[in-house]
Amino acid sequence: MVRRIIRIDEEKCNGCGACANACHEGAIGMVDGKAKLLREDYCDGLGDCLPACPTGAITFEMREAPAYDEAAVLAAKKKAPCAGGCPGTAAKRLTPQGETAPAESVSQLRNWPVQIKLAPMTAPYFDGCRLLIAADCTAYAYANFHNDFIRDHITLVGCPKLDGIDYSMKLTHILRNNDIRSVTVARMEVPCCGGMEYAVKQALESSGKDIPCRVITIGINGQIIE
């Protein structure tokens, strides 16, 4: 049958995963860092995923496709609770626990998820926050990362080399649509980490906002270089 169904432009997709989280039917999934329409018969053609896409990679088209199978969708949801958005990606504000424990053993994380690819583009915890954007390896190299960096910050992490995507578009959306007070970039001294710094600077410029930003470079020996 010919019906309305979504189309995903892989060239525009930045791999943020927002559409997969927004798809209640579980029709969309992430494959090799890109959004894919995994099941045409799971797509109801209503387009809840469209407004979630920051790059405009998702549109409607009229074409030959299997009919929407609501029964199959409901059955799949019963078998796989994560269909249509895993609970592990749901935005949460966190409160540090274990105040009676030694300070160095208390997590300072204030938000979830932390991966840039999974993070929501708007969330209450972004408003008025100091934002930390960190390369994955920094938390492993720097021994006191929670207390010296994550404390009193909302944290986003990623690795542009391993993820193979440009974070700048999603970060632009986050900076433009939330009240961010300041941005701290924590990166390693290795050249590939320059991609993280570049993406943040591009996002700051594209956001049209004058947000204070500092970049801290950590050496592979765990010492702050600058």
Side-chain angles (χ1 to χ4, degrees):
M1 64 180 296
V2 176
R3 69 180 184 95
R4 189 168 78 158
I5 195 168
I6 65 162
R7 177 181 179 275
I8 302 174
D9 186 337
E10 290 191 16
E11 294 298 317
K12 291 183 178 180
C13 177
N14 69 355
C16 70
C19 59
N21 290 334
C23 179
H24 304 296
E25 289 72 32
I28 302 174
M30 304 305 296
V31 179
D32 296 328
K34 295 286 186 177
K36 300 280 188 182
L37 179 56
L38 301 179
R39 292 284 301 259
E40 293 183 347
D41 59 335
Y42 282 18
C43 177
D44 59 10
L46 297 178
D48 288 345
C49 54
L50 269 71
C53 180
T55 66
I58 302 178
T59 56
F60 283 124
E61 63 179 353
M62 294 294 295
R63 63 173 175 83
E64 188 73 30
Y68 171 58
D69 191 340
E70 184 177 10
V73 170
L74 294 175
K77 285 183 177 181
K78 289 180 180 179
K79 293 180 180 179
C82 283
C86 179
T89 68
K92 299 180 179 68
R93 183 191 295 271
L94 305 180
T95 301
Q97 301 297 310
E99 281 78 2
T100 58
E104 62 272 15
S105 67
V106 176
S107 171
Q108 297 300 321
L109 195 62
R110 293 281 203 256
N111 62 286
W112 187 267
V114 296
Q115 286 288 338
I116 296 173
K117 289 173 63 175
L118 300 178
M121 288 172 287
T122 57
Y125 53 67
F126 281 130
D127 290 330
C129 82
R130 295 193 293 167
L131 184 62
L132 170 67
I133 303 175
D136 287 344
C137 296
T138 54
Y140 294 95
Y142 190 82
N144 204 31
F145 197 79
H146 271 250
N147 284 318
D148 290 355
F149 287 93
I150 295 179
R151 181 191 291 272
D152 298 326
H153 286 76
I154 293 300
T155 304
L156 297 177
V157 303
C159 176
K161 183 177 179 66
L162 293 181
D163 289 343
I165 60 174
D166 181 2
Y167 295 132
S168 59
M169 285 188 286
K170 184 167 188 180
L171 291 176
T172 296
H173 189 100
I174 291 173
L175 295 173
R176 181 182 293 156
N177 294 283
N178 298 280
D179 180 22
I180 308 293
R181 290 169 49 198
S182 66
V183 176
T184 298
V185 181
R187 54 160 294 184
M188 297 297 296
E189 64 175 318
V190 294
C192 58
C193 252
M196 179 69 78
E197 181 178 348
Y198 175 79
V200 174
K201 289 182 176 179
Q202 286 292 107
L204 284 165
E205 182 177 345
S206 300
S207 73
K209 292 184 175 181
D210 184 16
I211 302 175
C213 177
R214 63 171 181 157
V215 178
I216 298 174
T217 302
I218 298 171
I220 58 175
N221 63 354
Q223 301 299 310
I224 293 177
I225 296 176
E226 58 184 64

